Each structure stands twice: as C-alpha cells, then as structure tokens.
Amino acid sequence: MNDMTPIAKTLPKDWETDQEVRWCPGCGDYAILKAVQRTMPEIGARPENTVFVSGIGCSSRFPYYMETYGFHTIHGRAPAVATGVKLANPDLDVWIITGDGDALSIGGNHTMHLIRRNLDCQVLLFNNEIYGLTKGQYSPTSHVGTRSPSTPFGSLDRPLTPCAFVLGSGARFVARAIDVNKNLPAVLKAAYAHKGTGFVEIFQNCIVYNDDVFAPFTEKANAPGSQLWVEQGKPLLFAGGTKGLSLDTERLVLKVVDVVDGDWAAAKVIVHDQTNRAVAHMLVEMPFGPFPMALGVLYDDPAPTFEAAVVAQNAQASAGKKPDLQKLLSQGQTWQVQKQPHVI
C-alpha cells in the first residue's frame, strides 16, 4: 500500500476482539463498550493508531475488548502510563478507561495532574458509586448512608463530585452521560474532537452491588423531569420545555423557573455557553432533587496541550546540535575500571 491508497473505513466489528466479554449480566459496561465500538468508525479513528489504557476495576477490563493497542495497568496509575504513551508518540489516539474508585481514590493524585497538564487524551470515568470488583465497598462517590461491607451502618463520607474535582484541577473539557443513553456516542465524539484532556463521567449501573442507584434520573419515566441535556447556544430547558434554569443575580446561583407557553426568554432561562467555567461549576454542583441532572458537554474551552509543549521544548533544546552518545556518556565524573591481577 502506498501513501495514495485510500484507507478503508472501519466498521464496529473491526474494533471487537476475540475475547469473551466478561462482566456481570446486565452491567452497564456492556452498553459503554458497544457505544465506543460504534463511535470509533464515525470519528475516523484507526485501530493501529489507538491505545486504550486502564487501571484496576471492572471498567479496566476494557482494553481486552478493543482491537487496538492497550495497557491494563495498576491501580490508579493509568494517567501516568497514558502520559508516557502520548509523549513517546504524540500522534496516537489515547483513551483512558477508569472508575470512580480507581481514578478518585488511590488514583486521585494522578488524575489531578493529568487534568492540569492537559494531555491530549480522552478519559472515560465509569461512575457506579461503588467498588464492584472487590465486592461492593463504598467508594469516593457513594452517597451518604450507603450500606456496604466497609460501611455496614451507612457511609458518613460526603461524596466527591467527579466533574467538580476535574474543573477544580483545571479541566478544559467536562461532560456527563449515561451508560445506556442514546446520547453517549455524541458526547464521546465531542470529547475526541476536543484538543486536550476530554473528561467524560459516565453514570454506569452496577446491577449486583449498587443496582438502580441512578434510577431517579435514568429511569424512562423519570428522565423528562430529571435530565437536563445541555447544548451549546440552546436554553437550559427540561421537563419538556416547561422548566428551565435561570441565574439568581443577587446570590449568583442557579434556580429552577417555570416556562409558560414556551417563552423561555420571559422566564429568563439562560443559554448554554460551554466556555463559561463559572456556570459549568454551578451545573455540576447542582443538588439533584431540587435540580435536574446536567448532562452532555458542560464545559469545552481548549488550551495548549502538554505533549505539544514538550515536543516544542525538546525541538528548541536540540536545535543546531548533533547527537553524540559517546560525549554524553563521558561527560561529568567518569572513571575507568582497570583489570586487576589475579591474586590467590
């Protein structure tokens, strides 16, 4: 094949491996896997140019099921490995697959530094608010009162909000989706199109240890009044357009308002601006119940990437210089070990 030969478009099956997919029957991971495999051909990605990196957890089996390069690494360290991969070959498409425990507990430090550096990669955080692989202990995102083997009387920890955490770490792209929702592929495409770290929190149902924890906003009957799918340049409406979000200018907080006869402007519903970091913070921290769950691309404001800066710095440092390995090895304090006479 020469450079002029067109590359055939891939199909979803081209991204499937011969490995048996082994998650619990009914696990939300199956839906996410299929969504990713369907999305890859549509974004024009190539298996030979793609790397999936995971840590430890149920979600971290993902690389086995993608017909790409992959690394199943150690607990919480997927961001570090992914950074090494991207720096070694910036042309690769790098995806990080992680869970709420993997990324936000033992891996919280690594996640924070990946985000602040703005490595060009996609992070898919499967949030089921529980440690599924190790048999149902509570996680950093578990609700107060969660009963588990490690909290038999109910968790007392205030849960961490993943999107708020990464926004506080300097994230330039933040999105939310649901494992079985038809909008997940669109969110994945937006993350891939973003130049920099694309962080996507995916609400994923753990059917064994935390079943239906997200039902108040994921169940079909509840969805219209409890889901707010944001769209750039569109008013923040939900409940079939009968309710929306307005900004309380005195307290600088969002509030739910009624929309009469579709006149959202009269109700002072704000229009979604995905470059507005302050509103993005408000959206991710809205308490569910009084407010809907904000979903979709909540924040997207690109900035220079880490690997691009590293490549530029290395090019500048090496400009006009010729590589000389012997000179490098002999510089500084060096000595030669002389052969000693054999003594009996």
Short mmCIF file of all heavy atoms in Angstrom, two decimals, residues 168-228:
data_model
loop_
_atom_site.label_atom_id
_atom_site.label_comp_id
_atom_site.label_asym_id
_atom_site.label_seq_id
_atom_site.Cartn_x
_atom_site.Cartn_y
_atom_site.Cartn_z
N GLY A 168 -11.98 21.86 39.15
CA GLY A 168 -11.08 22.48 40.11
C GLY A 168 -9.62 22.21 39.82
O GLY A 168 -8.74 22.96 40.27
N SER A 169 -9.36 21.14 39.06
CA SER A 169 -7.98 20.80 38.69
C SER A 169 -7.56 21.46 37.38
O SER A 169 -6.44 21.25 36.92
CB SER A 169 -7.84 19.28 38.56
OG SER A 169 -8.12 18.64 39.79
N GLY A 170 -8.46 22.24 36.80
CA GLY A 170 -8.12 22.98 35.58
C GLY A 170 -8.58 22.32 34.30
O GLY A 170 -8.05 22.63 33.22
N ALA A 171 -9.58 21.44 34.35
CA ALA A 171 -10.06 20.76 33.15
C ALA A 171 -10.55 21.75 32.11
O ALA A 171 -11.15 22.77 32.44
CB ALA A 171 -11.18 19.78 33.51
N ARG A 172 -10.32 21.41 30.84
CA ARG A 172 -10.77 22.25 29.74
C ARG A 172 -11.95 21.64 28.98
O ARG A 172 -12.54 22.30 28.13
CB ARG A 172 -9.61 22.49 28.75
CG ARG A 172 -8.32 22.96 29.38
CD ARG A 172 -8.44 24.28 30.08
NE ARG A 172 -8.94 25.34 29.22
CZ ARG A 172 -8.89 26.64 29.54
NH1 ARG A 172 -8.41 27.02 30.71
NH2 ARG A 172 -9.36 27.55 28.71
N PHE A 173 -12.27 20.37 29.29
CA PHE A 173 -13.44 19.72 28.69
C PHE A 173 -14.05 18.80 29.73
O PHE A 173 -13.38 17.90 30.24
CB PHE A 173 -13.06 18.90 27.45
CG PHE A 173 -14.24 18.21 26.79
CD1 PHE A 173 -14.83 18.77 25.67
CD2 PHE A 173 -14.75 17.02 27.29
CE1 PHE A 173 -15.92 18.14 25.06
CE2 PHE A 173 -15.82 16.39 26.69
CZ PHE A 173 -16.42 16.95 25.58
N VAL A 174 -15.32 19.02 30.03
CA VAL A 174 -16.03 18.22 31.04
C VAL A 174 -17.40 17.87 30.50
O VAL A 174 -18.14 18.75 30.04
CB VAL A 174 -16.16 18.98 32.37
CG1 VAL A 174 -16.92 18.15 33.39
CG2 VAL A 174 -14.79 19.35 32.92
N ALA A 175 -17.74 16.60 30.56
CA ALA A 175 -19.04 16.16 30.06
C ALA A 175 -19.58 15.04 30.94
O ALA A 175 -18.82 14.39 31.67
CB ALA A 175 -18.93 15.69 28.61
N ARG A 176 -20.87 14.82 30.83
CA ARG A 176 -21.54 13.73 31.54
C ARG A 176 -22.45 12.99 30.58
O ARG A 176 -23.02 13.59 29.66
CB ARG A 176 -22.40 14.26 32.69
CG ARG A 176 -21.69 14.54 34.00
CD ARG A 176 -22.74 15.00 34.97
NE ARG A 176 -22.23 15.29 36.30
CZ ARG A 176 -22.79 16.17 37.12
NH1 ARG A 176 -23.87 16.84 36.72
NH2 ARG A 176 -22.30 16.37 38.32
N ALA A 177 -22.59 11.68 30.83
CA ALA A 177 -23.51 10.88 30.03
C ALA A 177 -23.98 9.70 30.86
O ALA A 177 -23.56 9.52 32.02
CB ALA A 177 -22.83 10.41 28.74
N ILE A 178 -24.86 8.90 30.28
CA ILE A 178 -25.43 7.72 30.94
C ILE A 178 -25.12 6.50 30.09
O ILE A 178 -25.19 6.57 28.85
CB ILE A 178 -26.95 7.88 31.12
CG1 ILE A 178 -27.26 9.11 31.99
CG2 ILE A 178 -27.58 6.63 31.71
CD1 ILE A 178 -28.72 9.51 32.00
N ASP A 179 -24.79 5.39 30.74
CA ASP A 179 -24.34 4.20 30.02
C ASP A 179 -25.26 3.76 28.89
O ASP A 179 -24.80 3.43 27.80
CB ASP A 179 -24.08 3.04 31.00
CG ASP A 179 -25.25 2.75 31.94
OD1 ASP A 179 -26.33 3.34 31.77
OD2 ASP A 179 -25.07 1.92 32.87
N VAL A 180 -26.56 3.73 29.12
CA VAL A 180 -27.49 3.20 28.12
C VAL A 180 -28.20 4.29 27.32
O VAL A 180 -29.10 3.99 26.54
CB VAL A 180 -28.55 2.29 28.80
CG1 VAL A 180 -27.90 1.08 29.42
CG2 VAL A 180 -29.35 3.06 29.86
N ASN A 181 -27.80 5.54 27.48
CA ASN A 181 -28.49 6.63 26.79
C ASN A 181 -27.99 6.78 25.36
O ASN A 181 -26.80 6.65 25.08
CB ASN A 181 -28.29 7.94 27.56
CG ASN A 181 -29.22 9.04 27.05
OD1 ASN A 181 -28.95 9.68 26.05
ND2 ASN A 181 -30.33 9.23 27.75
N LYS A 182 -28.91 7.09 24.46
CA LYS A 182 -28.57 7.23 23.04
C LYS A 182 -27.63 8.39 22.76
O LYS A 182 -27.00 8.45 21.69
CB LYS A 182 -29.85 7.41 22.22
CG LYS A 182 -30.61 8.69 22.54
CD LYS A 182 -31.86 8.83 21.71
CE LYS A 182 -32.60 10.14 22.02
NZ LYS A 182 -33.84 10.28 21.20
N ASN A 183 -27.51 9.33 23.70
CA ASN A 183 -26.66 10.50 23.50
C ASN A 183 -25.19 10.24 23.84
O ASN A 183 -24.34 11.10 23.58
CB ASN A 183 -27.15 11.67 24.36
CG ASN A 183 -28.49 12.21 23.89
OD1 ASN A 183 -28.82 12.12 22.71
ND2 ASN A 183 -29.26 12.77 24.80
N LEU A 184 -24.87 9.07 24.39
CA LEU A 184 -23.49 8.79 24.77
C LEU A 184 -22.53 8.91 23.59
O LEU A 184 -21.47 9.54 23.72
CB LEU A 184 -23.39 7.42 25.43
CG LEU A 184 -21.98 6.93 25.79
CD1 LEU A 184 -21.25 7.93 26.68
CD2 LEU A 184 -22.03 5.56 26.46
N PRO A 185 -22.80 8.32 22.42
CA PRO A 185 -21.86 8.46 21.30
C PRO A 185 -21.57 9.91 20.93
O PRO A 185 -20.43 10.26 20.59
CB PRO A 185 -22.56 7.72 20.16
CG PRO A 185 -23.41 6.69 20.84
CD PRO A 185 -23.91 7.39 22.08
N ALA A 186 -22.58 10.78 20.99
CA ALA A 186 -22.36 12.19 20.65
C ALA A 186 -21.41 12.84 21.64
O ALA A 186 -20.56 13.66 21.26
CB ALA A 186 -23.70 12.94 20.64
N VAL A 187 -21.51 12.48 22.90
CA VAL A 187 -20.60 13.01 23.92
C VAL A 187 -19.19 12.50 23.68
O VAL A 187 -18.21 13.25 23.80
CB VAL A 187 -21.10 12.64 25.33
CG1 VAL A 187 -20.07 13.05 26.39
CG2 VAL A 187 -22.44 13.31 25.62
N LEU A 188 -19.06 11.23 23.32
CA LEU A 188 -17.73 10.66 23.03
C LEU A 188 -17.09 11.37 21.83
O LEU A 188 -15.89 11.65 21.83
CB LEU A 188 -17.86 9.16 22.74
CG LEU A 188 -18.37 8.29 23.89
CD1 LEU A 188 -18.53 6.84 23.42
CD2 LEU A 188 -17.45 8.35 25.10
N LYS A 189 -17.88 11.65 20.83
CA LYS A 189 -17.36 12.35 19.65
C LYS A 189 -16.87 13.75 20.02
O LYS A 189 -15.83 14.21 19.54
CB LYS A 189 -18.45 12.46 18.58
CG LYS A 189 -18.82 11.13 17.94
CD LYS A 189 -19.99 11.31 16.98
CE LYS A 189 -20.49 9.98 16.45
NZ LYS A 189 -21.66 10.13 15.56
N ALA A 190 -17.62 14.44 20.87
CA ALA A 190 -17.21 15.78 21.29
C ALA A 190 -15.91 15.74 22.08
O ALA A 190 -15.04 16.60 21.91
CB ALA A 190 -18.32 16.42 22.13
N ALA A 191 -15.76 14.72 22.93
CA ALA A 191 -14.52 14.58 23.71
C ALA A 191 -13.34 14.33 22.79
O ALA A 191 -12.24 14.87 22.99
CB ALA A 191 -14.67 13.45 24.72
N TYR A 192 -13.55 13.50 21.77
CA TYR A 192 -12.48 13.18 20.82
C TYR A 192 -12.10 14.41 20.00
O TYR A 192 -10.92 14.63 19.69
CB TYR A 192 -12.93 12.04 19.91
CG TYR A 192 -11.89 11.61 18.90
CD1 TYR A 192 -10.83 10.79 19.27
CD2 TYR A 192 -11.97 12.02 17.57
CE1 TYR A 192 -9.88 10.39 18.35
CE2 TYR A 192 -11.03 11.63 16.64
CZ TYR A 192 -9.98 10.80 17.04
OH TYR A 192 -9.03 10.41 16.12
N ALA A 193 -13.08 15.22 19.64
CA ALA A 193 -12.82 16.41 18.83
C ALA A 193 -12.08 17.48 19.61
O ALA A 193 -11.40 18.33 19.01
CB ALA A 193 -14.14 16.98 18.30
N HIS A 194 -12.19 17.45 20.93
CA HIS A 194 -11.52 18.44 21.77
C HIS A 194 -10.02 18.18 21.79
O HIS A 194 -9.58 17.05 21.99
CB HIS A 194 -12.08 18.37 23.20
CG HIS A 194 -11.37 19.24 24.17
ND1 HIS A 194 -11.70 20.57 24.36
CD2 HIS A 194 -10.35 18.97 25.03
CE1 HIS A 194 -10.91 21.08 25.29
NE2 HIS A 194 -10.08 20.14 25.71
N LYS A 195 -9.23 19.22 21.60
CA LYS A 195 -7.77 19.10 21.66
C LYS A 195 -7.32 19.36 23.09
O LYS A 195 -7.30 20.49 23.55
CB LYS A 195 -7.12 20.10 20.70
CG LYS A 195 -5.64 19.87 20.46
CD LYS A 195 -5.40 18.58 19.70
CE LYS A 195 -3.92 18.42 19.35
NZ LYS A 195 -3.65 17.12 18.69
N GLY A 196 -6.98 18.29 23.80
CA GLY A 196 -6.63 18.38 25.22
C GLY A 196 -7.30 17.23 25.94
O GLY A 196 -7.81 16.29 25.32
N THR A 197 -7.30 17.26 27.26
CA THR A 197 -7.92 16.18 28.03
C THR A 197 -9.43 16.32 28.00
O THR A 197 -9.99 17.29 28.51
CB THR A 197 -7.43 16.22 29.50
OG1 THR A 197 -6.00 16.16 29.53
CG2 THR A 197 -7.99 15.04 30.26
N GLY A 198 -10.08 15.33 27.40
CA GLY A 198 -11.54 15.30 27.36
C GLY A 198 -12.05 14.38 28.45
O GLY A 198 -11.92 13.16 28.35
N PHE A 199 -12.64 14.95 29.51
CA PHE A 199 -13.10 14.17 30.65
C PHE A 199 -14.59 13.91 30.54
O PHE A 199 -15.39 14.86 30.46
CB PHE A 199 -12.80 14.90 31.96
CG PHE A 199 -13.24 14.16 33.20
CD1 PHE A 199 -12.41 13.21 33.79
CD2 PHE A 199 -14.49 14.38 33.75
CE1 PHE A 199 -12.81 12.52 34.93
CE2 PHE A 199 -14.92 13.69 34.87
CZ PHE A 199 -14.07 12.75 35.46
N VAL A 200 -14.98 12.63 30.54
CA VAL A 200 -16.38 12.25 30.44
C VAL A 200 -16.73 11.34 31.62
O VAL A 200 -16.18 10.25 31.77
CB VAL A 200 -16.69 11.51 29.13
CG1 VAL A 200 -18.18 11.17 29.05
CG2 VAL A 200 -16.26 12.35 27.92
N GLU A 201 -17.65 11.81 32.47
CA GLU A 201 -18.19 10.98 33.54
C GLU A 201 -19.40 10.24 32.99
O GLU A 201 -20.32 10.87 32.46
CB GLU A 201 -18.59 11.83 34.74
CG GLU A 201 -19.23 11.02 35.86
CD GLU A 201 -19.81 11.88 36.98
OE1 GLU A 201 -19.86 13.12 36.80
OE2 GLU A 201 -20.23 11.32 38.00
N ILE A 202 -19.39 8.91 33.11
CA ILE A 202 -20.50 8.10 32.61
C ILE A 202 -21.17 7.41 33.79
O ILE A 202 -20.53 6.61 34.49
CB ILE A 202 -20.01 7.06 31.59
CG1 ILE A 202 -19.25 7.73 30.44
CG2 ILE A 202 -21.20 6.27 31.03
CD1 ILE A 202 -18.60 6.76 29.48
N PHE A 203 -22.42 7.74 34.02
CA PHE A 203 -23.17 7.07 35.09
C PHE A 203 -23.45 5.64 34.65
O PHE A 203 -24.14 5.40 33.65
CB PHE A 203 -24.47 7.82 35.38
CG PHE A 203 -24.25 9.20 35.94
CD1 PHE A 203 -24.55 10.32 35.19
CD2 PHE A 203 -23.75 9.37 37.22
CE1 PHE A 203 -24.35 11.60 35.70
CE2 PHE A 203 -23.54 10.64 37.74
CZ PHE A 203 -23.83 11.75 36.99
N GLN A 204 -22.88 4.69 35.39
CA GLN A 204 -22.90 3.28 34.98
C GLN A 204 -23.51 2.44 36.09
O GLN A 204 -23.05 2.46 37.23
CB GLN A 204 -21.47 2.82 34.66
CG GLN A 204 -21.33 1.36 34.32
CD GLN A 204 -20.76 0.57 35.47
OE1 GLN A 204 -19.87 1.02 36.19
NE2 GLN A 204 -21.28 -0.63 35.66
N ASN A 205 -24.55 1.70 35.75
CA ASN A 205 -25.26 0.92 36.75
C ASN A 205 -24.52 -0.37 37.10
O ASN A 205 -24.17 -1.15 36.22
CB ASN A 205 -26.67 0.58 36.24
CG ASN A 205 -27.52 -0.04 37.33
OD1 ASN A 205 -27.60 0.49 38.44
ND2 ASN A 205 -28.16 -1.16 37.04
N CYS A 206 -24.27 -0.58 38.41
CA CYS A 206 -23.72 -1.85 38.91
C CYS A 206 -24.89 -2.68 39.39
O CYS A 206 -25.42 -2.45 40.48
CB CYS A 206 -22.72 -1.61 40.03
SG CYS A 206 -22.08 -3.14 40.75
N ILE A 207 -25.28 -3.64 38.57
CA ILE A 207 -26.51 -4.38 38.83
C ILE A 207 -26.41 -5.28 40.05
O ILE A 207 -27.42 -5.67 40.64
CB ILE A 207 -26.89 -5.20 37.57
CG1 ILE A 207 -28.33 -5.66 37.66
CG2 ILE A 207 -25.91 -6.36 37.37
CD1 ILE A 207 -28.87 -6.23 36.37
N VAL A 208 -25.19 -5.60 40.50
CA VAL A 208 -25.01 -6.52 41.63
C VAL A 208 -24.91 -5.79 42.96
O VAL A 208 -25.59 -6.13 43.93
CB VAL A 208 -23.76 -7.40 41.41
CG1 VAL A 208 -23.50 -8.29 42.63
CG2 VAL A 208 -23.94 -8.27 40.16
N TYR A 209 -24.06 -4.76 43.03
CA TYR A 209 -23.76 -4.13 44.32
C TYR A 209 -24.38 -2.75 44.54
O TYR A 209 -24.36 -2.25 45.66
CB TYR A 209 -22.25 -4.03 44.52
CG TYR A 209 -21.57 -5.38 44.56
CD1 TYR A 209 -20.76 -5.81 43.51
CD2 TYR A 209 -21.77 -6.23 45.64
CE1 TYR A 209 -20.16 -7.06 43.55
CE2 TYR A 209 -21.17 -7.48 45.69
CZ TYR A 209 -20.37 -7.88 44.64
OH TYR A 209 -19.79 -9.13 44.69
N ASN A 210 -24.91 -2.13 43.47
CA ASN A 210 -25.48 -0.79 43.65
C ASN A 210 -26.58 -0.54 42.63
O ASN A 210 -26.68 0.54 42.04
CB ASN A 210 -24.38 0.28 43.50
CG ASN A 210 -24.61 1.48 44.38
OD1 ASN A 210 -25.42 1.45 45.31
ND2 ASN A 210 -23.91 2.57 44.09
N ASP A 211 -27.42 -1.54 42.44
CA ASP A 211 -28.41 -1.51 41.38
C ASP A 211 -29.39 -0.35 41.54
O ASP A 211 -29.88 -0.07 42.64
CB ASP A 211 -29.18 -2.84 41.37
CG ASP A 211 -30.02 -3.02 40.11
OD1 ASP A 211 -29.68 -2.40 39.09
OD2 ASP A 211 -30.99 -3.79 40.16
N ASP A 212 -29.64 0.32 40.43
CA ASP A 212 -30.64 1.40 40.34
C ASP A 212 -30.32 2.61 41.21
O ASP A 212 -31.22 3.40 41.53
CB ASP A 212 -32.03 0.87 40.71
CG ASP A 212 -32.61 -0.02 39.62
OD1 ASP A 212 -32.18 0.11 38.46
OD2 ASP A 212 -33.49 -0.85 39.93
N VAL A 213 -29.06 2.80 41.58
CA VAL A 213 -28.72 3.98 42.38
C VAL A 213 -29.00 5.28 41.61
O VAL A 213 -29.28 6.32 42.21
CB VAL A 213 -27.24 3.92 42.84
CG1 VAL A 213 -26.27 4.10 41.69
CG2 VAL A 213 -26.97 4.96 43.93
N PHE A 214 -28.96 5.20 40.27
CA PHE A 214 -29.21 6.38 39.45
C PHE A 214 -30.64 6.41 38.89
O PHE A 214 -30.97 7.29 38.09
CB PHE A 214 -28.22 6.45 38.28
CG PHE A 214 -26.78 6.46 38.71
CD1 PHE A 214 -25.89 5.49 38.25
CD2 PHE A 214 -26.30 7.43 39.57
CE1 PHE A 214 -24.57 5.50 38.65
CE2 PHE A 214 -24.97 7.46 39.97
CZ PHE A 214 -24.10 6.47 39.51
N ALA A 215 -31.46 5.47 39.30
CA ALA A 215 -32.82 5.36 38.75
C ALA A 215 -33.63 6.64 38.85
O ALA A 215 -34.44 6.93 37.94
CB ALA A 215 -33.57 4.21 39.43
N PRO A 216 -33.46 7.44 39.91
CA PRO A 216 -34.27 8.68 39.98
C PRO A 216 -34.12 9.59 38.76
O PRO A 216 -35.02 10.39 38.49
CB PRO A 216 -33.75 9.35 41.25
CG PRO A 216 -33.33 8.21 42.12
CD PRO A 216 -32.71 7.22 41.17
N PHE A 217 -33.00 9.48 38.04
CA PHE A 217 -32.91 10.30 36.82
C PHE A 217 -32.64 9.48 35.56
O PHE A 217 -32.69 10.03 34.45
CB PHE A 217 -31.85 11.41 36.97
CG PHE A 217 -30.42 10.94 37.11
CD1 PHE A 217 -29.63 10.70 36.00
CD2 PHE A 217 -29.86 10.78 38.37
CE1 PHE A 217 -28.32 10.29 36.14
CE2 PHE A 217 -28.54 10.37 38.52
CZ PHE A 217 -27.77 10.13 37.40
N THR A 218 -32.36 8.18 35.69
CA THR A 218 -32.12 7.39 34.48
C THR A 218 -33.33 6.59 34.02
O THR A 218 -33.45 6.27 32.84
CB THR A 218 -30.95 6.40 34.70
OG1 THR A 218 -31.25 5.53 35.80
CG2 THR A 218 -29.65 7.15 34.97
N GLU A 219 -34.24 6.26 34.94
CA GLU A 219 -35.43 5.51 34.54
C GLU A 219 -36.24 6.31 33.52
O GLU A 219 -36.37 7.53 33.63
CB GLU A 219 -36.29 5.20 35.76
CG GLU A 219 -35.75 4.08 36.63
CD GLU A 219 -35.78 2.74 35.92
OE1 GLU A 219 -36.71 2.48 35.14
OE2 GLU A 219 -34.84 1.94 36.14
N LYS A 220 -36.79 5.60 32.54
CA LYS A 220 -37.52 6.26 31.45
C LYS A 220 -38.63 7.17 31.96
O LYS A 220 -38.83 8.28 31.45
CB LYS A 220 -38.08 5.19 30.50
CG LYS A 220 -38.72 5.75 29.26
CD LYS A 220 -39.16 4.66 28.32
CE LYS A 220 -39.76 5.24 27.04
NZ LYS A 220 -40.19 4.15 26.10
N ALA A 221 -39.33 6.71 32.98
CA ALA A 221 -40.45 7.50 33.50
C ALA A 221 -39.97 8.77 34.19
O ALA A 221 -40.69 9.78 34.23
CB ALA A 221 -41.28 6.66 34.46
N ASN A 222 -38.77 8.74 34.74
CA ASN A 222 -38.25 9.88 35.49
C ASN A 222 -37.45 10.85 34.63
O ASN A 222 -37.26 12.01 35.00
CB ASN A 222 -37.35 9.40 36.63
CG ASN A 222 -38.07 8.49 37.60
OD1 ASN A 222 -39.28 8.62 37.80
ND2 ASN A 222 -37.34 7.56 38.22
N ALA A 223 -36.96 10.37 33.48
CA ALA A 223 -35.98 11.12 32.69
C ALA A 223 -36.44 12.52 32.27
O ALA A 223 -35.67 13.48 32.44
CB ALA A 223 -35.57 10.30 31.47
N PRO A 224 -37.64 12.71 31.74
CA PRO A 224 -38.01 14.05 31.24
C PRO A 224 -37.89 15.15 32.29
O PRO A 224 -37.43 16.25 31.99
CB PRO A 224 -39.46 13.87 30.78
CG PRO A 224 -39.57 12.41 30.46
CD PRO A 224 -38.71 11.73 31.48
N GLY A 225 -38.30 14.86 33.51
CA GLY A 225 -38.30 15.89 34.54
C GLY A 225 -37.02 15.95 35.35
O GLY A 225 -36.86 16.84 36.18
N SER A 226 -36.09 15.00 35.09
CA SER A 226 -34.89 14.94 35.93
C SER A 226 -33.58 15.02 35.14
O SER A 226 -32.51 15.08 35.74
CB SER A 226 -34.90 13.65 36.75
OG SER A 226 -34.93 12.51 35.90
N GLN A 227 -33.66 15.02 33.81
CA GLN A 227 -32.47 15.13 32.98
C GLN A 227 -32.46 16.45 32.23
O GLN A 227 -33.46 16.83 31.61
CB GLN A 227 -32.39 13.99 31.97
CG GLN A 227 -32.18 12.62 32.56
CD GLN A 227 -32.07 11.54 31.49
OE1 GLN A 227 -31.89 11.83 30.31
NE2 GLN A 227 -32.19 10.28 31.91
N LEU A 228 -31.34 17.13 32.28
CA LEU A 228 -31.14 18.36 31.51
C LEU A 228 -29.95 18.14 30.58
O LEU A 228 -28.80 18.16 31.01
CB LEU A 228 -30.88 19.55 32.44
CG LEU A 228 -30.37 20.84 31.78
CD1 LEU A 228 -31.37 21.35 30.74
CD2 LEU A 228 -30.09 21.91 32.81
#
